[in-house]
Amino acid sequence: MNVIELNRALRQLRLGGMAAVLETRLHQAQAEPMPPIDFLSCLIADELQRRGDRLLERRKKQAAFRDPHKTLDNFDFDFNKKMNRSLVFDLAGGAFLARHEDALFLGPPGTGKSHLAQAIGQAAIHQGYRVLYRETHQLLEELAEATIDGTRKEQMESFVSVPLLIIDDLGMRKLPATAAEDLLEIIMCRYEQASTLLTSNRPVEDWGKLLGDSAAVTAMLDRLLHHGHVLKCGPRSWRTKTNLPPEESAG
């Protein structure tokens, strides 16, 4: 079997990672020289690396982040110095996911809630977890559409089964009358089974009025906060530079 035939066979066996570097590794084995076991080990490592990279990209695509470039590396913690950095990095470490705990990020618009939520989602993917990101209104719209076309059970299962569900921007848009009931159903199903990270620009005291169902909100918060981590973001906004000293605002 020559190199062309071997390459074709590797691709038929779905070993594209090996096929992609076969000639390079052959040249390396001849140049060094490389023992057969080392040559085979390199090819297997190449295949595993490629599969890992492809899985990572697939999970990032499935997560459907609004801003997929948001990471902890490009978040400026110095902008709001009182933010609990320790909590952020603890969450990014993923232990809360293994314990099926929840997180609630609260603060005015523009204070980094969505950035941090998505950054923690990215970190979770790198640790092998599946993640699903939805803005609150988007999640509820998808559920309403699924109810109409008869696929609510399947849609609800996708929201309930993912190890980390990020529900972003509660309070940014007007929500349907069924919002409290739908959110409660999701939170109840996920309670102590999987982790939910929810962000809101409204204090929890306002949620009853916001969602129009104080009883449902109380039940939802009871579960979110039982094993929940609360991060308060702000007070300054990146977008408006609210409350910045005059010299900083001018800059």
Side-chain angles (χ1 to χ4, degrees), residues 3-250:
V3 175
I4 294 175
E5 292 170 335
L6 183 55
N7 191 294
R8 185 182 301 118
L10 287 171
R11 295 188 184 280
Q12 287 177 343
L13 291 169
R14 300 183 182 277
L15 297 171
M18 288 186 179
V21 298
L22 178 61
E23 289 194 55
T24 300
R25 289 303 187 189
L26 284 171
H27 289 310
Q28 181 184 0
Q30 293 168 354
E32 291 190 4
M34 182 182 290
I37 187 66
D38 291 345
F39 173 69
L40 184 58
S41 296
C42 286
L43 282 177
I44 292 173
D46 292 332
E47 180 65 34
L48 290 174
Q49 181 66 49
R50 175 165 171 159
R51 291 190 181 196
D53 291 343
R54 292 179 70 178
L55 176 61
L56 213 60
E57 289 308 309
R58 186 162 65 250
R59 286 188 171 171
K60 288 180 180 181
K61 185 175 181 180
Q62 290 170 345
F65 294 115
R66 182 178 64 198
D67 304 301
H69 63 284
K70 300 293 188 184
T71 67
L72 291 183
D73 289 338
N74 55 35
F75 185 82
D76 184 3
F77 286 95
D78 290 331
F79 187 72
N80 281 303
K81 295 180 182 294
K82 293 184 179 180
M83 182 178 290
N84 188 343
R85 297 189 192 194
S86 177
L87 175 57
V88 172
F89 285 102
D90 281 348
L91 293 172
F96 86 109
L97 296 170
R99 296 191 296 262
H100 302 154
E101 297 171 348
D102 303 313
L104 188 57
F105 292 1
L106 302 172
T111 53
K113 301 182 301 299
S114 295
H115 185 142
L116 289 173
Q118 292 175 94
I120 288 169
Q122 293 275 9
I125 288 174
H126 280 274
Q127 293 160 30
Y129 292 98
R130 290 183 300 111
V131 176
L132 188 63
Y133 169 91
R134 290 292 186 272
E135 293 179 67
T136 307
H137 73 279
Q138 180 187 11
L139 179 144
L140 295 171
E141 286 170 2
E142 289 181 13
L143 200 54
E145 290 170 2
T147 301
I148 293 172
D149 63 26
T151 59
R152 180 186 174 90
K153 183 178 179 180
E154 293 80 1
Q155 184 66 72
M156 183 61 73
E157 177 62 22
S158 72
F159 290 151
V160 168
S161 62
V162 68
L164 176 59
L165 176 64
I166 300 174
I167 306 176
D168 199 11
D169 286 338
L170 175 64
M172 288 294 288
R173 299 196 187 189
K174 185 176 181 180
L175 301 176
T178 59
E181 182 180 336
D182 289 340
L183 288 172
L184 176 59
E185 182 179 356
I186 292 170
I187 297 302
M188 285 182 66
C189 290
R190 295 181 59 80
Y191 176 61
E192 294 187 332
Q193 302 299 316
S195 296
T196 305
L197 195 166
L198 192 150
T199 82
S200 178
N201 67 337
R202 305 281 289 274
V204 294
E205 294 81 7
D206 291 352
W207 286 16
K209 183 177 180 181
L210 173 68
L211 297 173
D213 189 334
S214 296
V217 166
T218 298
M220 182 169 65
L221 284 171
D222 182 59
R223 287 161 177 80
L224 280 174
L225 297 176
H226 183 205
H227 305 296
H229 305 272
V230 179
L231 179 71
K232 295 183 179 179
C233 303
R236 299 189 295 174
S237 167
W238 269 100
R239 300 188 189 98
T240 61
K241 296 189 177 181
T242 303
N243 297 327
L244 281 175
E247 61 274 13
E248 292 188 55
S249 296

